[in-house]
Amino acid sequence: MSNDKKSLYEQMGGTYTEMDGIFYPNITLEDELAEQNDFCGKYGDMWKKHMHDNRNTDYRHYLFTGKLNEKAKEINEQAYEMLDVIMNQYMNNHKPDNLESTIEIWKLKEQAKMQAEEVIFHDIIFR
């Protein structure tokens, strides 16, 4: 087929797939961009969503430089380190009345986790 009869997409090297008489362009994400959808941990993915929804320019910068997942994993690691420190401090300051009460210990740990996550959201995820 001559260049005159090819579409601009075909002239640029694009190809089509025919399905039920309709031609669909064969478009795929590059491997690097496809990897950006990888799971980066609870807090890393929360950070990615926050960046996408609220700081789109920064999000696109990380995405197009290929550093989005790297930064998200770093954020996730920082968040879990902070979670451990804050929970340990809370548990050291708030001892259960009954050391054999599983429910009481569980409640204290949940309170510690909620308090730690508030700090994590404010200082790491949403900054």
Side-chain angles (χ1 to χ4, degrees), residues 16-38:
Y16 294 95
T17 300
E18 181 182 359
M19 290 175 51
D20 299 326
I22 300 173
F23 289 93
Y24 295 96
N26 297 323
I27 301 174
T28 59
L29 290 174
E30 295 177 22
D31 291 339
E32 295 170 2
L33 292 178
E35 287 177 10
Q36 299 303 324
N37 292 324
D38 287 350

Side-chain angles (χ1 to χ4, degrees), residues 43 71-84 120 123-124 127:
Y43 300 110
K71 182 67 174 173
K73 288 176 183 176
E74 180 182 311
I75 293 288
N76 189 60
E77 195 173 309
Q78 288 175 359
Y80 273 107
E81 287 172 5
M82 185 179 278
L83 181 77
D84 288 340
I120 290 167
D123 292 353
I124 296 178
R127 69 178 155 143

Side-chain angles (χ1 to χ4, degrees), residues 46-109:
M46 289 172 87
W47 176 81
K48 284 196 308 190
K49 179 160 180 30
H50 169 72
M51 293 296 284
H52 180 267
D53 295 345
N54 300 298
R55 296 175 58 194
N56 205 291
T57 304
D58 293 333
Y59 174 83
R60 280 192 251 153
H61 169 74
Y62 284 120
L63 180 66
F64 294 130
T65 58
K67 296 182 179 181
L68 181 65
N69 275 356
E70 180 182 325
K71 182 67 174 173
K73 288 176 183 176
E74 180 182 311
I75 293 288
N76 189 60
E77 195 173 309
Q78 288 175 359
Y80 273 107
E81 287 172 5
M82 185 179 278
L83 181 77
D84 288 340
V85 168
I86 294 172
M87 283 186 67
N88 287 334
Q89 287 175 348
Y90 187 90
M91 293 303 290
N92 287 336
N93 294 333
H94 298 85
K95 300 289 183 191
D97 295 331
N98 182 1
L99 291 173
E100 294 184 19
S101 173
T102 307
I103 297 297
E104 192 174 340
I105 293 170
W106 174 79
K107 283 181 182 179
L108 279 174
K109 284 187 178 184

Side-chain angles (χ1 to χ4, degrees), residues 1-11 14 16 23:
M1 186 180 264
S2 71
N3 257 357
D4 297 342
K5 295 184 181 181
K6 287 185 177 181
S7 69
L8 179 61
Y9 180 68
E10 290 173 308
Q11 290 174 20
Y16 294 95
F23 289 93

